[in-house]
Amino acid sequence: MQKLNSTESGFAAKLAALLAFETAQDPEVDARVAAICEDVKTRGDAALVEYTNRFDRMQATSMAELTLTRAELEAAFLRLPDAQREALTAAAARVTRYHEKQRAQSWSYEDEDGTLLGQQVSALDRVGIYVPGGKACYPSSVLMNALPAKVAGVGEILMVVPTPAGEKNDLVLAAAFIAGVDQVFTVGGAQAVAALAYGTETITQVDKITGPGNAYVAAAKRRVFGVVGIDMVAGPSEILVICDGTTDPDWIAMDLFSQAEHDEIAQAILLCPDAAYIAAVEASIAKLLPMMPRRAIIEASLSNRGALIQVADLAEACRIANYIAPEHLELSVAEPEAWLPALKHAGAIFMGRFTSESLGDYCAGPNHVLPTSRTARFASPLGVYDFQKRSSLIRVSRAGAQQLGQIASVLAHGEGLTAHARAAEMRMESKA
Amino acid sequence: MQKLNSTESGFAAKLAALLAFETAQDPEVDARVAAICEDVKTRGDAALVEYTNRFDRMQATSMAELTLTRAELEAAFLRLPDAQREALTAAAARVTRYHEKQRAQSWSYEDEDGTLLGQQVSALDRVGIYVPGGKACYPSSVLMNALPAKVAGVGEILMVVPTPAGEKNDLVLAAAFIAGVDQVFTVGGAQAVAALAYGTETITQVDKITGPGNAYVAAAKRRVFGVVGIDMVAGPSEILVICDGTTDPDWIAMDLFSQAEHDEIAQAILLCPDAAYIAAVEASIAKLLPMMPRRAIIEASLSNRGALIQVADLAEACRIANYIAPEHLELSVAEPEAWLPALKHAGAIFMGRFTSESLGDYCAGPNHVLPTSRTARFASPLGVYDFQKRSSLIRVSRAGAQQLGQIASVLAHGEGLTAHARAAEMRMESKA
């Protein structure tokens, strides 16, 4: 695991190199995805079934065999061990409660002359949620994608989840049940994204697609963007821990592991002003690593992209955090609130020693779909606002048309758009 | 101009054909844009100056010659005729007032056990606004892109606007001045988008790029999406007018013209239950068209993509409007409020006979950057929310860690993520 010191020469360049991640779109993947999307757009269900059989080692003869009903989801929910069913239910309740605070409301106001201006907020009609299948199967992601849509009031929630060789995951289906998903199709990859975006005989076209996936899914989402809405295209997951050097070093080591265990390219970084504490965390890492079932992944991630960085003080740690704009920012310090005003860019901020990232990942309430790869500079966690949209409302009164018509006329003529000007002027002439 | 009737056989297919618009990405444009972006990313200012000289017929030797200061913007503002300066100022004030209502606020709440959950809302640090140059030069677009950023509290607003053969437009520069744009670079095309996205020696990397442009600009925005945020990729502009048949038909004809005059591929559609009224609008079109300076563009647009559609009643008009999800929806009826609940999808709704679209385009207050090509199904007008972002806040108390740790542990083990579970469990053990 790399060790850096913010006072060493070339630190800025080393930090930039540490964060660098090649996100270039692979032209070969793009070309294959383009062909798949076109084929599904043209041939619908037939193409979707063919690709699913080929890529997911299935032998389906029709979409009926790749469709799950609410009853099947409920059965999966009821089959769960009590502890899992209760934990899912409790997590869903907390996530729902948090997201209810995000609901935007319509508003309007009137000018003195009776002109009304406002914004009508409404939910999307239909959304599609992509859930990865196979090895990385995350029921928590089902909750985090579906519940904000549900809270927003989306009319219909479709979910696609590949089931390679037919293997279904009860926790994933149970999460879909509890989150109120309306229909589940056991398809995945670019073909599933295309089916949601263009619609097929069986799958009704959706208005937006959210959820993570592999390079093919990401390329397909990028391609259909505009036909439907998409959430962000996610990069590798990251954690940045700022620690004042007084948290149990085992806790910090485990927090770094919990990011690193996702993926060999996940990134876990610690910023701390105390050299002795950094050494203690290193010792904890060495002690705890052998006990981890995903040891190989954690080791690869930490040695490829992890770092322990000694900083001058916590103020400098905050400045570096703003540059990194991490997906997850753990503020493992005595007075986390005191540093909040100094922190501008992060997907989620975990404040205080008891707030492990994993509590936020599953059940604290906020969404775990967060902006990665420095996009927290401009992007937000997935939320209810991603499943609502706004329409501007304008009702100009007769009196208002006289005043506004004058302004619009001058500006329209200035842009050489005579019909715009005349449309405004006609409403003015009507006064006479 | 096409005439349709909702009762005729094959109406749904005819309507779909009318709305169809080929948005396929041109692989040749994509390849050229990819090369330009890569070159600007690698060579910075030198590449930017070269492309600008080549595509915009300039002879600049450095970026200094392609940079305008606030003082130059102010000079342009002061040079304007009084009427234009006053109209721009009045429009900016109204647009600012409307957008101030869109500012989101941070919030938080505490559980009974002291666990805090919330959302911190903050403005983007730096945004870039793309403004088309040449023929289609729209100062109103400068206001509509820059003012929401300003209201959001964005730290720095950069603007790029090509000046082919060196021709600058005072209205555009004056609008930049009044909207509080910090720096203007007279560059355009894919090279300008790449410069904003990656940064050069002269242009600091921005966090988000907004504003319309040609196919090269759109392809470049699509390409850099992820490195920076972008607004929507806009299609041709559209208006849908629903009229009850009692508005002056000249007004409606002019409203259709005001959309059609933008572009040969712009779309203007009228829905009305009254056949005699539709004939009257046709007569108005025939009467008024010869007087329009942009007659050729209007004629091409109306005959290519325009339509007069007779519907059964206003309720059916609203259902068709929801399918079309138009950018601009004019509700030229006696009781516009009565129909509002029936309308789900539109970028902006112009209510009542006095509310011409052109009043909204310039000065009513709401933004004129609106979702096109049926994307109002999931997208919103450009707004302050596009220049703010959110960070989740989580501060779990010692007591909260016991309860949440239990849930997180069960779910993390269910997903096979042991380090996630251990990180949560360690905080529980600490209770003892």
Side-chain angles (χ1 to χ4, degrees), chain B residues 250-281:
Chain B
D250 283 359
W251 294 13
I252 299 299
M254 196 56 72
D255 292 348
L256 298 174
F257 288 179
S258 74
Q259 198 58 40
E261 75 175 341
H262 274 297
D263 206 316
E264 287 88 350
I265 54 169
Q267 183 155 59
I269 299 176
L270 170 65
L271 302 180
C272 178
D274 180 344
Y277 182 78
I278 290 177
V281 171

Side-chain angles (χ1 to χ4, degrees), chain B residues 1-2 15-22 235-239 260 263-270 298-309 373:
Chain B
M1 197 169 182
Q2 205 174 153
L15 181 62
L18 180 69
L19 301 177
F21 184 77
E22 191 49 72
S237 196
E238 329 134 12
I239 192 171
D263 206 316
E264 287 88 350
I265 54 169
Q267 183 155 59
I269 299 176
L270 170 65
I298 295 172
E299 252 177 335
S301 161
L302 293 182
S303 83
N304 290 342
R305 305 199 67 224
L308 304 172
I309 304 179
S373 304

Side-chain angles (χ1 to χ4, degrees), chain B residues 57-102:
Chain B
R57 293 162 284 132
M58 308 277 282
Q59 286 91 36
T61 57
S62 77
M63 276 304 296
E65 295 167 40
L66 301 174
T67 304
L68 299 179
T69 62
R70 283 282 298 169
E72 290 172 274
L73 306 184
E74 183 169 19
F77 180 70
L78 296 174
R79 268 197 305 273
L80 288 185
D82 287 350
Q84 285 189 346
R85 198 169 49 246
E86 285 158 19
L88 259 192
T89 305
R94 289 192 62 95
V95 171
T96 298
R97 182 181 173 208
Y98 177 87
H99 284 79
E100 279 169 350
K101 314 268 181 192
Q102 291 180 333

Side-chain angles (χ1 to χ4, degrees), chain A residues 31-85:
Chain A
R32 293 181 64 183
V33 164
I36 292 170
C37 287
E38 197 52 39
D39 199 17
V40 171
K41 186 179 175 183
T42 311
R43 297 197 300 124
D45 281 351
L48 184 55
V49 171
E50 279 173 33
Y51 286 117
T52 301
N53 286 342
R54 189 191 315 170
F55 296 133
D56 294 339
R57 293 163 283 130
M58 308 278 281
Q59 285 89 37
T61 58
S62 77
M63 275 306 293
E65 296 167 40
L66 301 175
T67 304
L68 299 179
T69 62
R70 283 283 295 170
E72 290 173 275
L73 305 183
E74 184 170 18
F77 179 70
L78 295 174
R79 267 197 305 274
L80 289 184
D82 287 349
Q84 285 191 346
R85 197 169 50 247

